[in-house]
Amino acid sequence: MTRSSLTTPPPDAHPPAAHPDAPPPGATLASHYHRCFGCGADHPTGLHLAARTPDGAIVEAEFTVGEAHQGAPMLAHGGVLAAAMDEVIGMSVYLLHKPYVTGRLETDYLLPVPVGTTLHLRAWCNGITGRKAYLEAEGRISAPDGPVAVRAAALFIEVDMEHFAEHGDLAAITAEHQDYEVNP
């Protein structure tokens, strides 16, 4: 993975500790929002990622490239692949049981991904320092041990739920995130 110093954990970063209220190993993770492009079941052309954590530290999901996700004829659009990487990384911060947003996403494209291909996604956190989380993901073609088609490294920033209330829809946030306190 080619990465910048902005997505490389600094020497003082530490591995994340499991939050006592985080989803347990084997759990399926809830979507961010039912209309989320990445994981929402109600988005008509979304990725519909259904993520799970096999061990409480890693998140896995699958994404089948559809016709609506094309860039070049019959090939996945690079931006859609980046969105899939961002989404699986975003799902992995659920394990930290804190709200985070993407600060930076770096994506390496290694192989073309044809329409109809199932991409097996995997994400994990390499370290945390202050409000910054350093994460990685990979997408493999056709099987969890298939060839790597795309890799990503990211910097996510911890925010308060007020961030979403100020810039988004407070009623939707409150309805879908009862476990977080939102004070507008």
Side-chain angles (χ1 to χ4, degrees):
M1 167 88 221
T2 304
R3 67 167 61 199
S4 73
S5 61
L6 298 173
T7 59
T8 301
D12 65 335
H14 56 85
H19 190 281
D21 295 327
T28 297
L29 307 179
S31 69
H32 293 116
Y33 170 58
H34 71 102
R35 299 234 349 124
C36 173
F37 175 77
C39 63
D42 295 337
H43 195 291
T45 59
L47 307 180
H48 304 139
L49 295 186
R52 67 201 159 279
T53 178
D55 60 3
I58 293 170
V59 168
E60 297 175 339
E62 289 85 32
F63 159 55
T64 300
V65 178
E67 297 238 352
H69 307 128
Q70 293 182 74
M74 298 307 291
L75 294 173
H77 189 286
V80 170
L81 296 177
M85 295 288 96
D86 185 53
E87 188 65 26
V88 74
I89 289 170
M91 297 299 285
S92 73
V93 296
Y94 265 18
L95 303 177
L96 307 176
H97 205 67
K98 297 178 181 179
Y100 280 83
V101 295
T102 309
R104 183 175 182 89
L105 178 69
E106 299 170 359
T107 308
D108 287 343
Y109 303 94
L110 306 169
L111 295 171
V113 181
V115 168
T117 299
T118 298
L119 202 58
H120 293 262
L121 308 172
R122 186 174 174 96
W124 59 93
C125 183
N126 291 322
I128 296 175
T129 182
R131 294 176 44 227
K132 296 178 179 180
Y134 299 86
L135 304 112
E136 283 187 57
E138 64 183 17
R140 293 177 175 265
I141 293 177
S142 301
D145 62 349
V148 176
V150 59
R151 286 195 175 111
L155 168 65
F156 271 48
I157 309 297
E158 182 182 349
V159 297
D160 292 330
M161 287 305 287
E162 286 80 13
H163 168 87
F164 300 103
E166 180 181 342
H167 302 288
D169 180 344
L170 178 59
I173 292 164
T174 303
E176 295 203 32
H177 294 282
Q178 298 297 324
D179 54 342
Y180 292 113
E181 183 176 331
V182 180
N183 297 312

